[in-house]
Amino acid sequence: MDALKLLKQDHEKLKRLLALLDETGESAPKKRQNLFAKAKRELTMHEILEEELVYPAFEKQAKLKEIVLEGYEEHHVVDMVFGELSKISPEDESWGAKLSVAKENIEHHIEEEEGEMFKQARKIFDEKELEKLGFQLAARKEELEKETPSDLEETRDDVREEAA
């Protein structure tokens, strides 16, 4: 499957999880915790896929470099907010506000990727290249799905260290 279609599927799944999470209130802390854990896992896997496979390929293209660099920074900002969410109780009154900020940042990031980045990528890469990248993404995602949450975060941090 085409890499951009796979990424779009991940985006849709993450948006659904965030919408469900956004609907929870302080009175449902267990549900919030469970949905947050799922959203965090999906986000971390998605970031690893982008930062390990997609962004390095796209970054080599002058027309994509700036938006890729912005993508790295957007990942970093959302990870900081998710890290803060992990440290406070889902019953805390600031939890919902932090989630809203993270959700808005993620949605903005998705809009930029699917709009600007993906459109440029379709002009630069041919169908075979996007298919090949898609197979790599699918195989890597299968591996990541077997990792524990803490292992995923460690993998994400390792990917970022290598990119720096």
Side-chain angles (χ1 to χ4, degrees), residues 1-17:
M1 178 183 271
D2 175 299
L4 303 180
K5 289 179 183 174
L6 284 172
L7 293 173
K8 190 170 167 106
Q9 286 176 354
D10 281 356
H11 289 165
E12 292 304 315
K13 185 174 185 178
L14 188 55
K15 286 194 296 188
R16 280 192 306 274
L17 282 169

Side-chain angles (χ1 to χ4, degrees), residues 11 106-117:
H11 289 165
I106 291 168
E107 288 170 347
H108 167 77
H109 175 76
I110 289 170
E111 285 175 22
E112 283 191 343
E113 279 190 350
E114 291 182 2
E116 192 176 337
M117 184 186 290

Side-chain angles (χ1 to χ4, degrees), residues 93-130:
E93 63 184 14
S94 67
W95 201 93
K98 284 186 187 296
L99 175 68
S100 291
V101 169
K103 183 176 179 274
E104 287 170 10
N105 275 278
I106 291 168
E107 288 170 347
H108 167 77
H109 175 76
I110 289 170
E111 285 175 22
E112 283 191 343
E113 279 190 350
E114 291 182 2
E116 192 176 337
M117 184 186 290
F118 289 9
K119 285 179 185 173
Q120 284 295 329
R122 288 216 181 277
K123 291 177 185 175
I124 295 168
F125 297 96
D126 66 31
E127 203 173 300
K128 284 185 180 182
E129 291 170 311
L130 292 174

Side-chain angles (χ1 to χ4, degrees), residues 58-114:
F58 286 11
E59 195 173 21
K60 293 174 187 170
Q61 305 298 322
K63 290 184 177 184
L64 290 172
K65 187 171 180 106
E66 186 177 321
I67 194 163
V68 167
L69 294 175
E70 190 176 321
Y72 281 116
E73 295 307 317
E74 288 171 346
H75 285 182
H76 175 69
V77 168
V78 169
D79 290 343
M80 285 190 322
V81 178
F82 264 54
E84 291 174 10
L85 281 165
S86 296
K87 293 176 184 170
I88 61 175
S89 168
E91 296 170 285
D92 189 294
E93 63 184 14
S94 67
W95 201 93
K98 284 186 187 296
L99 175 68
S100 291
V101 169
K103 183 176 179 274
E104 287 170 10
N105 275 278
I106 291 168
E107 288 170 347
H108 167 77
H109 175 76
I110 289 170
E111 285 175 22
E112 283 191 343
E113 279 190 350
E114 291 182 2

Side-chain angles (χ1 to χ4, degrees), residues 7 10 14 17-18 36-52 75 78-80 82-83 86 106 140-141 144-145 147-160:
L7 293 173
D10 281 356
L14 188 55
L17 282 169
L18 290 171
F36 178 70
K38 288 178 185 177
K40 188 174 181 184
R41 180 175 180 77
E42 288 299 320
L43 178 68
T44 303
M45 285 192 300
H46 185 75
E47 287 176 345
I48 291 168
L49 293 173
E50 286 186 339
E51 293 181 18
E52 196 174 85
H75 285 182
V78 169
D79 290 343
M80 285 190 322
F82 264 54
S86 296
I106 291 168
R140 183 64 174 126
K141 186 172 183 177
L144 293 172
E145 286 173 340
E147 290 191 21
T148 65
S150 60
D151 287 344
L152 277 175
E153 289 188 31
E154 192 174 308
T155 299
R156 184 198 59 219
D157 293 344
D158 289 347
V159 169
R160 288 188 179 158

